[in-house]
Amino acid sequence: MRMWAQSHLCQKPQRINSVLTAAFALIFLILGASQSASALPAFARKYGLRCSACHESWPMLNYFGQKFKDNGYQLMNDRDAPIWQNPSYWPVTFRILPIWHRVSTGKVAVDNSTGGQTEQRITSSGFDLSGLDFHTGGTLEKNISFYVLPSSDATASFHFETVMTRLDNVFGSTWLNVKLGKFELDNLLSEKRILTLTANGGIYQLYHFMPQGDGNIFGQIGSNQLGVEVMGHSFNDRTRYSAALLSSNNGSVGLPYGANSYSGFFAASQAFDTGKLGVQRLGFYAMVGEAPTTWLTSGGPNAPLGGSGTGNKGFSREGFVGQFYFGQHFDVQVVTQHGSDSAWFGQGYGDFIDNPTGICLNGNAPPNNTQPCNNTPGTTLAAGSRNPTWNGVLIEPHYVYSPQLIFLARYETIRMSQQSTPGTRSNLGNIDTYTVGYRYNPFMTSRAGFAWHNEFNLFHQVGTSALSGTNINTSEVLTGFDFDF
């Protein structure tokens, strides 16, 4: 889940020097105050595991934690079946964050005294809340696992982030596990266990990137999706694969776009031991599919009917993943991506839900940006329209001083290699984002977890300001208490 929505508070910028000075001073006190910690409460109460058994730093999993998850939240012993659990055990955890943050967004369109608009930097700071997650998961019976996650935004507007049941070790084999429901795609670098929390740093930009003006309904691999997944792994979890068939509706319920478009997500990886350096893992992923661009209408060309989507067009996302460890304290995770959308998506056709006016959002759509984003029979693309394509890289190092204290950083860059409309500036929409921070867990028992989180993010995108079409720079500093129970 994206833990909170960026707020725009109508306040004067507050001085943050004293806050940052105090934060960094406390680091040195923290370094000498480490004590042992335990696992995420819902499963810790069942198995009595320690935090360092499953987590590199809560909530990010280590090798053993990934194996526990791949086994269907089981240790493969007699305690897996609910009948052996204490009757008072209830596998529920909630998580929320009170925070203070300062957000500075460049080149926001604002009204001026002459009746027109100009661009201005908006800076705001203050206290805020994240959304609220209710996690419940475990086993219904040995080798039948489940996970349910009702999740809200900061205003307590709820939705189901995860609802899934999985048949584990079908026919007694770890190579066959079948999951049905709404779930996270099998990304080795999990966005749902991300360690960062700012608006632009709290997501992986590679998992959500769309070219400017693109109307693709689906191709976001960071969102939980509805479908069925077959997953398997070796007994020691060194070799693993997954294949999922998904509805092309970006996790929306009720078939809002159409019932006849599907996509697939495929992943595989191999881990190998390098002695004192640790266990390294290399893998790949690929999403290939199609989504509708044609809609029946009722009340005019700008009034498409939900559920009537046809005219499916294709898209793809593929890349490599690496998890590299350099001893017990330092690791680097790397993700690459090559993406491509149909020229129809590139010209703004596709998503009428995120664009309920039905008017094409592509600034190149004639005349005057009023072309319906509804591909009706007989529609033709503008001459020379091409598939938009791009490439990206994510690099995320971690230094784990102890199970209680982790320092982290991330750099992501995304570069357009081909724009959909000829003549469009080649770097329009390119992204660079930088994130640094640390998390300190003074304690984590089998009942509760607590982390003091500090983070800074800088986000840069080329040519996307509302009026001048110039570059946008956004920065955010955040501190808060991340806790679960």
Side-chain angles (χ1 to χ4, degrees), residues 52-65:
S52 56
C54 286
H55 295 276
E56 185 169 338
S57 177
W58 168 70
M60 185 174 66
L61 296 176
N62 60 17
Y63 179 79
F64 180 82

Side-chain angles (χ1 to χ4, degrees), residues 215 293 313 342-350 375 379-381 386-387:
T293 60
K313 305 299 178 184
S342 164
W344 289 92
F345 296 128
Q347 291 299 311
Y349 297 97
N375 172 15
T379 298
T380 58
L381 287 176
R386 304 171 299 188
N387 293 359

Side-chain angles (χ1 to χ4, degrees), residues 282-316:
L282 291 172
F284 76 90
Y285 67 91
M287 173 182 278
V288 291
E290 55 183 24
T293 60
T294 302
W295 313 91
L296 298 176
T297 61
S298 178
N302 294 335
L305 285 172
S308 68
T310 56
N312 295 335
K313 305 299 178 184
F315 61 89
S316 65

Side-chain angles (χ1 to χ4, degrees), residues 189 204-207 285 318 320 332-338 390-396 410-415 431-433:
L189 189 59
Y204 293 129
Q205 300 290 334
L206 278 184
Y207 289 2
Y285 67 91
E318 55 273 339
F320 292 94
V332 179
Q333 304 194 2
V334 180
V335 181
T336 71
Q337 184 180 108
H338 174 74
W390 62 93
N391 299 289
V393 177
L394 180 160
I395 302 173
E396 182 172 312
R410 185 186 313 123
Y411 170 64
E412 285 189 78
T413 181
I414 303 173
R415 296 290 183 265
I431 286 175
D432 289 285
T433 183

Side-chain angles (χ1 to χ4, degrees), residues 152-166:
S152 82
D153 61 18
T155 66
S157 177
F158 274 88
H159 67 285
F160 286 109
E161 183 77 7
T162 300
V163 180
M164 71 85 177
T165 301
R166 197 179 92 149

Side-chain angles (χ1 to χ4, degrees), residues 42-43 46-47 68-86 89-92 136-148 164-169:
F43 295 130
K46 179 178 180 180
Y47 290 106
F68 176 73
K69 180 174 179 288
D70 286 348
N71 282 327
Y73 311 114
Q74 299 181 114
L75 290 181
M76 309 310 294
N77 60 31
D78 289 341
R79 295 187 66 183
D80 294 332
I83 192 172
W84 299 111
Q85 295 168 11
N86 187 312
Y89 171 71
W90 190 33
V92 172
T136 178
T139 54
L140 301 172
E141 182 54 85
K142 187 173 180 63
N143 288 326
I144 302 179
S145 54
F146 75 98
Y147 209 100
V148 177
M164 71 85 177
T165 301
R166 197 179 92 149
L167 306 180
D168 309 312
N169 305 308

Side-chain angles (χ1 to χ4, degrees), residues 56-378:
E56 185 169 338
S57 177
W58 168 70
M60 185 174 66
L61 296 176
N62 60 17
Y63 179 79
F64 180 82
Q66 183 66 51
K67 182 178 179 181
F68 176 73
K69 180 174 179 288
D70 286 348
N71 282 327
Y73 311 114
Q74 299 181 114
L75 290 181
M76 309 310 294
N77 60 31
D78 289 341
R79 295 187 66 183
D80 294 332
I83 192 172
W84 299 111
Q85 295 168 11
N86 187 312
S88 64
Y89 171 71
W90 190 33
V92 172
T93 296
F94 70 80
R95 180 188 182 192
I96 193 170
L97 292 86
I99 62 172
W100 176 92
H101 60 135
R102 178 182 183 273
V103 182
S104 180
T105 305
K107 298 184 179 177
V108 178
V110 297
D111 295 335
N112 58 30
S113 59
T114 64
Q117 284 193 314
T118 187
E119 291 180 338
Q120 181 178 322
R121 176 168 292 275
I122 303 297
T123 302
S124 57
S125 67
F127 297 98
D128 215 334
L129 291 175
S130 74
L132 174 64
D133 289 346
F134 282 101
H135 298 263
T136 178
T139 54
L140 301 172
E141 182 54 85
K142 187 173 180 63
N143 288 326
I144 302 179
S145 54
F146 75 98
Y147 209 100
V148 177
L149 172 53
S151 181
S152 82
D153 61 18
T155 66
S157 177
F158 274 88
H159 67 285
F160 286 109
E161 183 77 7
T162 300
V163 180
M164 71 85 177
T165 301
R166 197 179 92 149
L167 306 180
D168 309 312
N169 305 308
V170 178
F171 303 124
S173 172
T174 62
W175 292 104
L176 186 58
N177 306 273
V178 182
K179 180 189 298 182
L180 179 67
K182 184 176 182 180
F183 48 83
E184 180 185 17
L185 300 182
D186 189 33
N187 304 321
L188 279 179
L189 189 59
S190 168
E191 190 176 86
K192 307 309 173 185
R193 296 180 178 276
I194 197 168
L195 293 178
T196 46
L197 301 173
T198 54
N200 288 310
I203 63 171
Y204 293 129
Q205 300 290 334
L206 278 184
Y207 289 2
H208 298 275
F209 180 76
M210 292 292 178
Q212 291 300 297
D214 196 289
N216 190 350
I217 291 168
F218 186 46
Q220 300 189 27
I221 66 176
S223 301
N224 284 12
Q225 306 296 343
L226 281 160
V228 60
E229 177 190 87
V230 176
M231 182 268 177
H233 58 94
S234 59
F235 182 76
N236 62 5
D237 213 40
R238 295 290 177 88
T239 305
R240 58 192 310 280
Y241 80 91
S242 65
L245 178 66
L246 313 164
S247 293
S248 294
N249 56 20
N250 205 35
S252 301
V253 297
L255 303 176
Y257 294 105
N260 300 310
S261 57
Y262 295 91
S263 298
F265 185 85
F266 308 92
S269 65
Q270 177 65 49
F272 50 94
D273 197 338
T274 55
K276 292 182 179 180
L277 289 179
V279 177
Q280 322 298 328
R281 187 179 289 273
L282 291 172
F284 76 90
Y285 67 91
M287 173 182 278
V288 291
E290 55 183 24
T293 60
T294 302
W295 313 91
L296 298 176
T297 61
S298 178
N302 294 335
L305 285 172
S308 68
T310 56
N312 295 335
K313 305 299 178 184
F315 61 89
S316 65
R317 313 281 188 269
E318 55 273 339
F320 292 94
V321 180
Q323 296 177 328
F324 307 105
Y325 290 83
F326 303 90
Q328 296 182 353
H329 296 284
F330 185 70
D331 68 85
V332 179
Q333 304 194 2
V334 180
V335 181
T336 71
Q337 184 180 108
H338 174 74
S340 177
D341 276 355
S342 164
W344 289 92
F345 296 128
Q347 291 299 311
Y349 297 97
D351 192 349
F352 73 89
I353 287 183
D354 282 346
N355 178 26
T357 64
I359 302 300
C360 197
L361 298 181
N362 189 336
N364 297 294
N368 301 321
N369 199 26
T370 59
Q371 176 183 347
C373 272
N374 183 26
N375 172 15
T376 56

